Amino acid sequence: MKSAVVQLPGLNRDRDMIAALTKIGGKPPVTVWQTETEIPAGVDLIVIPGGFSYGDYLRCGAIAARMPIMQAIKARAEAGVKVLGVCNGFQILLEAGMLPGALMRNASLKFVCKEIRLEVVNAETAFSRAYAKGQILRCPVAHHDGNYFADAETMARIEGNGQVVFRYAEGTNPNGSMNDIAGVINEKGNVLGMMPHPENLIEAAHGGADGRGLFASALDVIAA
Amino acid sequence: MDAFEEEHMIKARVTVTLKNGVLDPQGKAIEGALGSLGFDGVGHVRQGKVFDLELQTADKAKAEAELKDMCEKLLANTVIENYTIALA
């Protein structure tokens, strides 16, 4: 499976993401720069990593979401290619209108950088099938604007459709997110956005490997 | 800027505010800070953004249409924010 990592000024988790995709998928992803207008042929998974694109100016992810590469990503997503956005990548996907809702300033107003517990709510998606429903994962978070918001109608729809893939496990919601939402997928099931960083918990050197399952699912390399 | 350019320019102010029902943690913190400064009787505080723009046109209708487009495409996130446009 061929993957691609998007690079934009201010994104700084791209190297961690490249390492995770390489170690778990067995070969390095291609990288695409923000001004490119095409995603290389044959790419099955596009990843927008975390960071602080455009200094978080205007709103987190707002400027990045209007860069040329996003039109190409939208077109590929419509054609069924998988897209994963982590942290700032999630914010960018929301700003691009590819996922429902919005991410607001953390309720505490503080940047949070710590390990939380994630509950796998939907284990039937292309990104979570290596896990079991209800499984609790360790996962780091590091963000200032991760407070998920959606209006009542949208919330009822995404909850009803099983579009909430990950929730902060009870007592670990770090940012005030409605319904403890940590990760949301689109209706079609091929675009996932999440605030926690699974790429930072993939091997013993990280102190754990709970994040591997997400990449194994998305890269189609789940061990038998 | 010369007089001609001045005449063919429209100044506009776009105000972006959070929609009702959207939690505003920053507004809440400001509200608390005003209280701790001794300002009694301050009700809810909601914070927002102001953009001052100069447009190279003398056509007000065109300017308004363009500003609306700018708000929809970039200046506001209409999932959580409202905007108003005022021409000077």
Side-chain angles (χ1 to χ4, degrees), chain A residues 58-59 66 95 104 109 149, chain B residues 29 49 73-75 77:
Chain A
L58 187 60
R59 297 176 305 273
R66 277 82 185 168
E95 279 284 345
M104 317 283 298
L109 299 176
F149 170 87
Chain B
K49 294 191 187 90
K73 287 187 177 151
L74 180 65
L75 298 181
N77 177 347

